[in-house]
Amino acid sequence: MAFDGVFTYAMTKELQQALEGGRITKIHQPFAHELVLQIRSYGRNYKLLLSAHPSYARVHLTNETYDNPAEPPMFCMLLRKHLEGSIIEAIRQVDFDRIITIETKGRNEIGDIHTRQLIIEIMGRHSNIILIDKDTNTIIDSIKHLSPAVNRYRTVLPGHEYIAPPSHGKINPLEATEETVLKKIDFHAGKLAEQLVAAFSGISPLLAKEIVFRAGLANRATLPKSFIAVMDEVRSHRFAPAMYTNGEKEWFYVLPLAHLQAEAKPFDTLSKLLDRFYFGKAERDRVKQQAHDLERFIANEKAKNEKKLIKLKQTLEEAKQAEQYRLYGELLTANLYAIERGMKEIEVINYYDENGATVTIPLDPQKSPSENAQSYFQKYQKAKNSLNVVQEQIKRTNEEIAYFNTLLQQLETAAPKDVEEIREELIEQGYLRARATKQTKKQKPRKIELDRYVASDGTEILVGKNNKQNDYLTTKLAHKDEIWLHTKDIPGSHVVIRSKNPSEQTIAEAANLAAYFSKARQSSSVPVDYTRVRYVKKPSGAKPGFVIYENQQTIYVTPDEDLVIRMKKQ
């Protein structure tokens, strides 16, 4: 995990400089495991994100905007009661571990001064955010509860004494010497990086591999020197926040990582680094959990239609034999005199063949010659009639598959609010039943909100993230002479530039959005069509989000997430 003790140490320093002495003005809990504290400090407003997410636990200042629930959760209400209006007296790291404490002083309802500690434990799936009474070391509440049945070492429930996670007897690396490293590492056992992780607190596998890499031919002489040199960088705050990528995987860290041999993108602060690294990741994870049943339903419907398509194509091939049935009927009629009941086949001359070739026709021995001929004429008529029906069914089935492909793509880039609109659409289209609710009153229609972005020259660009949004954007909101964009023959979002004459750069930036919010997000040189909204039409009876267009031009772009982030309108 990249958010190790060293990273926590650096983040603590960053938060101390910005927030100590500041006042907590507002607290929100936008999601089950995340809190956002608004803090006024040194004449500036800050947003502090505290996350106990099982996969994306972290602490940092953020510039992201989060939608808050209509009714705040109980833990949020409790934090507001104990922390809003309080002063942050100190921010500390605990024992060089992934634990940060925020110590506050405030007044209760009757005006008495009270001290509180908000403890953030960044421990992967065991991460937690715990509020304690500093004077009594008693837990007031936590974002996750831990009963004795789950953990015999400690209980995390209101009213219980707070006990920190076990330290496992690891050594603080900032206090280590070369001699300490030599004592803790068995060079004959190998796996030096794993030994460093096991012996010293706050050292992640990522950092341990870097220490070993910097040691070169790691031995008793080089490894301790490499370890101490890295710790000197940490101790003297020579931090270099950066995100690393090799095209397949991404990492982040506070120190240079030469062993990755990956492209590095530097950042001014750790908070900016984490805002960028986690952009969309936690949200997509929440969407995946929220939309799991929806995704499974859509995938099943798509698979059913794909199976149906295979059968329809087989039926179509059979229907294409209609002409052969007609030929057999005519040839039998012309040769009735040569056929006798009980024959299983007959070979006759095909008088339609210029070369006078013969053809063997299967017969039903139970039928008379004329009945065999009539049977083939009936098969011909049936196949001829079914040909048009099957072709129409194939067309509709292909449309269904394309529709479900589009919905699956939309779920990949959806925000939580987008998922509910996709669910509503499936209910309206008759694919899903409406969920039973306790509310007797009819709910008001959900207001459609579009994602807004701003081009380099200040032009507004709107993006639809699902079919409801796409239809609203293209057919109702957009002006006829504004520019509409969509990936060419690829499921994706409708994009509209709110300008009649946008610059080429703005068109390129809008095309990047169209490519990014499409099935081709991970591709390069993605074709994006653009035309004026007046040339975009929705056929009568078409599926939601489906349109046809003309007079388009095509531009090729490679999706750039950094550009999307810069354009996102706060």
Side-chain angles (χ1 to χ4, degrees), residues 31-306:
F31 306 106
H33 300 128
E34 273 106 357
L35 293 165
V36 176
L37 277 60
Q38 294 191 29
I39 299 162
R40 180 73 176 174
S41 179
Y42 301 105
R44 289 186 58 188
N45 292 321
Y46 294 92
K47 286 188 290 186
L48 177 63
L49 174 68
L50 311 178
S51 175
H53 191 284
S55 302
Y56 306 116
R58 62 202 191 277
V59 178
H60 62 93
L61 299 172
T62 182
N63 289 318
E64 290 290 322
T65 300
Y66 296 92
D67 294 327
N68 297 306
E71 292 187 13
M74 290 300 295
F75 186 62
C76 177
M77 295 292 287
L78 180 133
L79 289 183
R80 288 178 179 178
K81 174 184 174 182
H82 287 272
L83 298 182
E84 279 191 355
S86 295
I87 301 297
I88 296 175
E89 292 205 309
I91 299 176
R92 295 191 179 94
Q93 179 185 22
V94 177
D95 296 332
F96 210 75
D97 208 342
R98 293 168 291 165
I99 303 174
I100 293 177
T101 65
I102 300 175
E103 299 184 5
T104 68
K105 180 181 283 188
R107 293 184 181 275
N108 59 22
E109 296 92 335
I110 59 175
D112 294 336
I113 292 176
H114 62 70
T115 55
R116 300 287 182 258
Q117 273 189 331
L118 191 62
I119 302 173
I120 307 98
E121 301 174 348
I122 307 160
M123 305 285 182
R125 62 190 181 90
H126 301 295
S127 299
N128 210 339
I129 301 171
I130 306 168
L131 179 68
I132 71 170
D133 184 327
K134 186 183 175 184
D135 296 330
T136 62
N137 197 42
T138 303
I139 296 172
I140 298 173
D141 206 349
S142 60
I143 205 163
K144 297 177 186 175
H145 289 172
L146 196 64
S147 68
V150 177
N151 191 316
R152 281 184 283 180
Y153 177 78
R154 66 175 189 153
T155 299
V156 182
L157 289 171
H160 284 257
E161 179 187 5
Y162 173 74
I163 299 173
S167 63
H168 302 294
K170 291 186 178 183
I171 299 169
N172 186 331
L174 295 183
E175 298 172 358
T177 63
E178 290 187 26
E179 186 179 351
T180 310
V181 178
L182 284 172
K183 285 182 179 179
K184 286 293 180 180
I185 302 300
D186 182 354
F187 289 89
H188 296 294
K191 297 184 178 179
L192 300 179
E194 292 182 15
Q195 291 190 60
L196 290 174
V197 172
F200 297 95
S201 64
I203 305 293
S204 63
L206 193 67
L207 178 57
K209 288 175 184 176
E210 179 65 20
I211 292 170
V212 174
F213 178 82
R214 293 189 190 185
L217 295 171
N219 54 41
R220 295 179 65 85
T222 60
L223 186 63
K225 285 182 169 37
S226 176
F227 185 94
I228 297 303
V230 169
M231 290 306 117
D232 283 343
E233 288 182 37
V234 176
R235 197 179 290 106
S236 59
H237 304 161
R238 298 200 302 273
F239 302 131
M243 190 170 85
Y244 299 85
T245 178
N246 62 4
E248 296 179 0
K249 192 175 179 181
E250 291 180 338
W251 301 265
F252 69 85
Y253 207 57
V254 67
L255 299 174
L257 298 176
H259 80 276
L260 292 178
Q261 296 181 342
E263 181 184 350
K265 180 179 176 60
F267 288 84
D268 296 336
T269 66
L270 276 72
S271 292
K272 289 180 180 178
L273 165 63
L274 293 186
D275 248 359
R276 170 62 185 86
F277 183 84
Y278 285 107
F279 174 75
K281 287 185 173 67
E283 186 171 81
R284 282 193 288 275
D285 184 78
R286 284 190 292 268
V287 167
K288 195 170 182 179
Q289 293 181 20
Q290 180 183 343
H292 177 69
D293 63 323
L294 207 57
E295 185 176 14
R296 185 174 55 192
F297 171 79
I298 295 169
N300 287 342
E301 289 297 307
K302 180 192 168 193
K304 275 194 268 183
N305 277 280
E306 287 171 338

